[in-house]
Amino acid sequence: MSPADSEKDLAQSMAETAKRAEDASHFLKTLANETRLLILCHLASGERSVSELEEVLAIRQPLVSQQLARLRADNLVRHRRSGKAIYYSLANDDIRRVVEAVHGLFCQSADNDKTIGGARPATGDADSPSPS
C-alpha cells in the first residue's frame, strides 16, 4: 500500500468516525429531554397509546404528542393506528438497550447519591454543596 493510499484510507476512516460522532450526538440530544426520556422509559415496558402516556406522565396531550413527534422523526419510536387511538413502541432493540442502561444507572440504584462521571444530579436543595 502506497503512502497516498494509506492517507486516503485514514481520511476516509476519520470522515466515517466524524459521521458516527455526529449521529451519536444527535441521538443523545434527543434523549436529553426529561419528557422524551420518560416516554422512552414507559415504552421500554411495552406499547402504549397516547392517552395512556398522557395519564401515566400526568402531562397534557399536546406536549405528549409534540415529544412523540420528535421521537418519531428521530426514528426512536414507531407507531400504529387502531381506530382513533395511536399506539407507540420503541423502534428497535438498540433503543431498548440504551433506555434500559439509562434506567439501570439512574432509576434502579438503591443509592440515591449515585454519580455518573463524577457529576451529581441537581437536587434543587439550597443547602446542598455546589459542585466545584
Side-chain angles (χ1 to χ4, degrees):
M1 178 179 281
S2 73
D5 287 339
S6 181
E7 286 181 28
K8 182 179 175 185
D9 287 346
L10 179 60
Q12 183 177 358
S13 176
M14 292 298 292
E16 290 170 3
T17 300
K19 174 62 175 135
R20 283 190 221 111
E22 180 182 346
D23 292 346
S25 176
H26 184 77
F27 173 76
L28 293 171
K29 285 177 186 174
T30 300
L31 291 183
N33 173 282
E34 290 176 33
T35 302
R36 289 192 293 266
L37 194 53
L38 284 168
I39 289 170
L40 291 171
C41 285
H42 286 288
L43 293 179
S45 64
E47 182 180 73
R48 302 275 181 127
S49 70
V50 174
S51 59
E52 289 171 326
L53 289 169
E54 178 184 3
E55 183 177 322
V56 73
L57 296 171
I59 57 177
R60 296 178 52 95
Q61 185 271 330
L63 179 58
V64 173
S65 293
Q66 177 186 30
Q67 299 306 328
L68 285 167
R70 168 72 186 268
L71 291 168
R72 199 169 67 217
D74 289 345
N75 299 312
L76 299 184
V77 298
R78 60 178 173 230
H79 70 286
R80 71 175 181 86
R81 185 178 294 275
S82 179
K84 291 184 178 183
I86 300 175
Y87 292 88
Y88 284 86
S89 59
L90 297 179
N92 58 54
D93 285 336
D94 290 339
I95 304 304
R96 182 176 316 286
R97 283 194 300 272
V98 170
V99 171
E100 288 171 351
V102 170
H103 186 268
L105 286 169
F106 291 96
C107 302
Q108 290 181 335
S109 172
D111 176 11
N112 290 334
D113 292 332
K114 186 168 188 168
T115 63
I116 303 300
R120 272 192 198 279
T123 62
D125 185 355
D127 296 330
S128 297
S130 61
S132 346

